[in-house]
């Protein structure tokens, strides 16, 4: 039997697990989820992300890359963050943010293509909720035999959850990624015994609002009962059932959906 072997002028390509992180997208999404600029305790821990990534890499070569924009006014403050990332083993690609179109998506896709040419990609993890730019390239990678994982938040990464070719992992399900629960309304990740969602502001704040109060969504109409026969009491219509409100703790060890 003839064994396949690389030609002398074609060195064997090494297996690679690649993680690419879209920092502008993740930061924007986190701000949207929290409704405000994230505090340091609200931001993901990149050391925990690295440990999770390494947990399925076995002895294959690994590479973690963070792609970020640098506004002229934030260059000094970002230096410490970038140095911390490098100390965790991440390479960092930084692009000046001078114009609105100065994004990092093209650089991320180019890097994935470059690594695909130089290595045999085994697993690609993309941390981004941007389906417009990543859906088609990632599905094409899957068809080429690469395991593809999207790491983001369920609220924005519908493209990954709906694709049968892409695995999705919610960032808050990565062990140790956040110091505190983000307090999100994750109705698809409720504990078996239920849980609470806390109010986002005091009820008495409604008295400070000007103008008529409006429901965020129309209240379901209650169907009027049929007229009661003569001589019988008319039954009263029952109001729609109202669910309790509180906070649900982040689930532990949720399994990712696979394509």
């Amino acid at each position: 039997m003839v064994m396949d072997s690389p030609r002398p002028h074609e060195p064997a390509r090494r297996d690679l697990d690649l993680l690419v992180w879209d920092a502008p997208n993740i930061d924007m999404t986190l701000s949207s989820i929290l409704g405000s600029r994230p505090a340091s305790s609200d931001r993901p821990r990149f050391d925990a992300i690295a440990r999770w990534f390494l947990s399925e890499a076995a002895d294959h070569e690994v590479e973690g890359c963070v792609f970020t924009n640098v506004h002229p006014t934030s260059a000094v403050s970002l230096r410490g963050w970038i140095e911390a990332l490098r100390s965790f083993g991440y390479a960092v690609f930084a692009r000046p943010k001078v114009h609105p179109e100065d994004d990092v998506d093209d650089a991320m896709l180019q890097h994935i293509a470059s690594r695909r040419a130089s290595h045999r990609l085994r697993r690609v993890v993309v941390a981004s909720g941007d389906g417009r730019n990543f859906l088609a390239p990632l599905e094409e990678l899957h068809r080429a035999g690469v395991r593809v994982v999207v790491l983001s938040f369920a609220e924005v990464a519908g493209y990954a959850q709906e694709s049968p070719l892409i695995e999705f992992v919610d960032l808050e399900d990565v062990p140790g990624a956040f110091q505190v629960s983000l307090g999100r309304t994750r109705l698809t990740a409720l504990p078996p015994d239920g849980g609470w969602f806390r109010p986002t502001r005091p009820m008495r704040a409604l008295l400070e609002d000007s103008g008529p109060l409006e429901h965020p969504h129309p209240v379901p109409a209650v169907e009027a009962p049929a007229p009661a026969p003569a001589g019988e009491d008319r039954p009263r219509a029952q109001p729609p059932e109202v669910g309790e409100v509180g906070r649900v703790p982040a689930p532990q060890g949720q399994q990712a959906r696979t394509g």
Side-chain angles (χ1 to χ4, degrees):
M1 181 176 64
V2 179
M3 301 294 292
D4 291 334
S5 60
R7 298 176 182 177
H9 61 282
E10 295 179 355
R13 294 188 301 168
R14 293 167 293 176
D15 288 342
L16 175 66
D17 280 21
L18 177 65
L19 166 64
V20 290
W21 183 284
D22 185 349
N25 180 272
I26 295 296
D27 195 64
M28 178 181 64
T29 301
L30 189 55
S31 297
S32 176
I33 289 173
L34 297 175
S36 61
R37 184 177 179 83
S40 58
S41 60
D42 295 324
R43 296 185 181 277
R45 295 177 55 93
F46 280 88
D47 55 341
I49 301 295
R51 293 187 182 95
W52 167 82
F53 177 61
L54 292 169
S55 67
E56 296 189 29
D59 57 351
H60 298 98
E61 186 175 341
V62 297
E63 181 182 22
C65 308
V66 176
F67 292 75
T68 189
N69 284 125
V70 179
H71 293 265
T73 57
S74 63
V76 174
S77 60
L78 281 180
R79 184 178 294 113
W81 176 68
I82 290 175
E83 290 305 313
L85 290 173
R86 296 174 66 194
S87 73
F88 294 147
Y90 293 91
V92 180
F93 175 88
R95 169 174 287 171
K97 185 72 170 181
V98 180
H99 305 288
E101 64 272 15
D102 292 336
D103 213 336
V104 295
D105 296 338
D106 289 344
M108 293 175 65
L109 291 170
Q110 290 169 9
H111 187 69
I112 294 173
S114 174
R115 287 294 179 260
R116 184 180 179 185
S118 62
H119 293 72
R120 185 167 53 245
L121 289 179
R122 195 184 75 98
R123 176 176 53 137
V124 172
V125 179
V126 173
S128 179
D130 187 354
R132 180 184 60 183
N133 288 317
F134 290 105
L135 176 59
L138 293 184
E139 289 190 332
E140 195 278 328
L141 276 178
H142 172 87
R143 295 186 185 97
V146 181
R147 180 185 172 194
V148 178
V149 182
V150 164
L151 183 63
S152 183
F153 296 100
E155 290 89 333
V156 298
Y159 79 98
Q161 298 170 77
E162 296 167 5
S163 172
L165 309 182
I166 298 175
E167 298 179 33
F168 173 74
V169 177
D170 193 285
L171 258 170
E172 204 169 359
D173 290 336
V174 174
F178 293 91
Q179 300 178 42
V180 296
S181 171
L182 298 179
R184 298 153 61 199
T185 307
R186 299 181 61 189
L187 300 181
T188 58
L190 293 169
D193 295 332
W196 291 89
F197 294 99
R198 296 190 305 179
T200 56
R201 66 172 185 163
M203 185 180 291
R204 288 191 177 275
L206 295 172
L207 300 178
E208 302 172 4
D209 293 339
S210 58
L213 301 180
E214 296 182 357
H215 291 281
H217 298 288
V219 176
V222 179
E223 184 177 350
E232 294 185 15
D233 293 333
R234 179 188 298 272
R236 294 184 179 180
Q238 297 298 318
E241 203 171 291
V242 179
E244 294 181 331
V245 180
R247 185 177 187 173
V248 176
Q252 300 295 324
Q254 181 183 356
Q255 296 294 320
R257 184 182 66 81
T258 58

